[in-house]
């Protein structure tokens, strides 16, 4: 609830053009939507004091095999995500687990509500 309230406050300030330097500094995680401008992948750069950064790419409709053992192809929607992390604070395995969990929540948002306590 606190995060939603803070996002609402920041959104209102940004919409009005009234964000201060304090409002946008000292973040620990940045999420960029490069897909909004047609981007697909990027190489996110972590700037201190950030610990990680993610970039969401453009959702694309692409052909994919149904399974590893089938030649059948289906159309699926893919949203590429690029992650970068400061390995002094988070290791690659932790980022991979986070990425898999984030993917599961994006594909099934109601599962996130069940996971919240």
């Amino acid at each position: 609830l606190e995060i939603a309230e803070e996002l609402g406050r920041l959104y209102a300030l940004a919409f009005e053009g009234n964000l201060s330097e304090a409002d946008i500094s000292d973040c620990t995680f940045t999420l960029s939507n490069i897909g909004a401008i047609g981007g697909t992948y990027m190489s996110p750069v972590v700037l201190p004091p950030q610990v990680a950064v993610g970039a969401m790419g453009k959702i694309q409709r692409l052909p994919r095999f149904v399974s590893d053992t089938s030649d059948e192809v289906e159309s699926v929607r893919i949203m590429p995500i690029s992650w970068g992390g400061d390995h002094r604070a988070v290791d690659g395995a932790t980022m991979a687990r986070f990425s898999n969990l984030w993917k599961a929540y994006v594909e099934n948002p109601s599962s996130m509500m069940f996971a919240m306590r």
Side-chain angles (χ1 to χ4, degrees):
L1 187 58
E2 292 174 32
I3 293 172
E5 289 172 354
E6 179 65 3
L7 283 173
R9 183 186 76 80
L10 292 172
Y11 176 81
L13 288 172
F15 188 77
E16 297 164 1
N18 293 325
L19 282 171
S20 70
E21 184 177 337
D23 289 322
I24 58 172
S25 63
D26 297 333
C27 61
T28 57
F29 187 91
T30 298
L31 191 57
S32 297
N33 181 6
I34 61 170
I37 58 171
T40 52
Y41 292 97
M42 68 178 271
S43 298
V45 176
V46 180
L47 301 173
Q50 293 181 47
V51 173
V53 58
M56 301 181 300
K58 175 185 173 185
I59 297 173
Q60 301 173 1
R61 195 171 142 223
L62 299 168
R64 292 293 184 256
F65 288 104
V66 172
S67 71
D68 290 338
T69 59
S70 171
D71 289 335
E72 184 182 350
V73 175
E74 66 181 355
S75 173
V76 296
R77 295 190 183 278
I78 304 282
M79 179 175 67
I81 304 290
S82 306
W83 301 108
D86 183 341
H87 282 229
R88 293 173 296 177
V90 61
D91 62 85
T94 301
M95 287 295 293
R97 285 189 296 273
F98 170 79
S99 182
N100 290 335
L101 182 61
W102 193 84
K103 176 182 179 284
Y105 287 155
V106 168
E107 291 175 345
N108 187 4
S110 62
S111 68
M112 182 172 28
M113 298 303 292
F114 293 122
M116 295 174 76
R117 294 187 172 105

